[in-house]
Amino acid sequence: MLAEHNDILLKSLKEGDARAFGKLYEKYYHSLYYKAFSIVRDKYIAEDLVQECFTDFYQKKLYNHVHTSLQALLFIRIKHQCLNYLEKENRESSKKRKYSHVVLATESMDYVEQYMENKAKSEEFEKIRHHLSGVLDKLPQQQHSVLLSLYRDGATYKDSAHSMGISLNTFQTYVQRAIKKLRLHFNTEQ
């Protein structure tokens, strides 16, 4: 009786009866949904795949190619759609994993390059600081003290002169002489 009903349904589909498709849908939707869900394990994806299966079946007129069992054809189609979906997801997931490795490697290389650049700058700065310190040590004590007070401690001319117990004019003279000696030293060095 089931085979007879399927034969009538198939014949109606081949004759272009749109109501026959509605009956086909009602008859097989739940079975196909459970089959799809058992494969993909996601309710919404299973629903979409079943909809797609029915849409393709009707739009591509696949019912014209049924020679044995309508039910078997639908179940084979949903199984293949589910497996194709999983294969596609697996490929995309694999691409994402590969891409994430590339991103991580790139970020790591950027970090290493930045670290090396900062380290080189730090080493260069340390060389310059050490050299400058050596040059400052060669200055007379008063000139050395006024420069440290201004540039290392950040004090004003007036405060520095007061803390050193000298006049503002004397302080300014020491600064001018110290800067002149530094310029002379660095100009002859180049």
Side-chain angles (χ1 to χ4, degrees):
M1 176 134 182
L2 182 64
E4 241 178 73
H5 187 276
N6 281 346
D7 289 340
I8 295 170
L9 194 56
L10 188 57
K11 184 178 178 195
S12 297
L13 281 169
K14 287 180 180 181
E15 291 172 354
D17 184 1
R19 290 178 297 170
F21 179 74
K23 290 178 186 175
L24 175 77
Y25 185 87
E26 288 175 19
K27 183 173 183 177
Y28 291 109
Y29 176 83
H30 292 291
S31 301
L32 292 174
Y33 167 78
Y34 290 119
K35 178 69 174 173
F37 182 79
S38 72
I39 297 171
V40 297
R41 298 284 184 206
D42 184 290
K43 175 185 175 184
Y44 300 108
I45 293 171
E47 289 173 352
D48 288 346
L49 290 171
V50 171
Q51 290 295 333
E52 188 179 315
C53 179
F54 276 115
T55 302
D56 285 351
F57 184 79
Y58 188 72
Q59 288 178 344
K60 295 177 181 177
K61 298 182 181 184
L62 297 176
Y63 45 81
N64 287 325
H65 304 287
V66 175
H67 302 293
T68 55
S69 165
L70 181 60
Q71 181 180 1
L73 176 71
L74 289 171
F75 274 87
I76 288 170
R77 287 202 54 76
I78 195 65
K79 179 182 173 188
H80 285 291
Q81 279 186 273
C82 291
L83 294 176
N84 288 341
Y85 168 80
L86 291 174
E87 185 178 321
K88 181 182 174 189
E89 284 297 305
N90 191 26
R91 278 193 312 266
E92 287 178 10
S93 201
S94 178
K95 285 179 188 176
K96 287 177 186 173
R97 281 193 305 274
K98 286 179 186 175
Y99 178 72
S100 69
H101 291 304
V102 169
V103 169
L104 287 175
T106 302
E107 287 176 354
S108 295
M109 288 305 296
D110 289 347
Y111 174 77
V112 168
E113 287 174 6
Q114 187 177 18
Y115 172 78
M116 294 303 288
E117 187 177 308
N118 288 343
K119 185 176 179 188
K121 285 179 182 176
S122 177
E123 288 171 356
E124 184 66 25
F125 176 77
E126 197 54 39
K127 285 179 187 175
I128 292 170
R129 191 188 69 71
H130 181 70
H131 181 68
L132 183 58
S133 179
V135 172
L136 288 173
D137 287 344
K138 292 178 184 175
L139 292 174
Q141 182 59 40
Q142 302 92 344
Q143 294 173 10
H144 185 259
S145 297
V146 296
L147 289 180
L148 289 181
S149 177
L150 285 175
Y151 298 110
R152 185 189 66 192
D153 302 338
T156 64
Y157 276 52
K158 185 178 180 181
D159 291 340
S160 294
H162 180 67
S163 68
M164 293 176 74
I166 57 177
S167 71
L168 184 58
N169 284 336
T170 303
F171 184 84
Q172 289 173 337
T173 303
Y174 287 155
V175 170
Q176 289 170 355
R177 287 180 184 165
I179 290 175
K180 186 176 181 179
K181 285 183 181 178
L182 289 175
R183 281 187 185 143
L184 182 64
H185 175 81
F186 285 112
N187 285 335
T188 57
E189 215 175 62
Q190 293 176 355

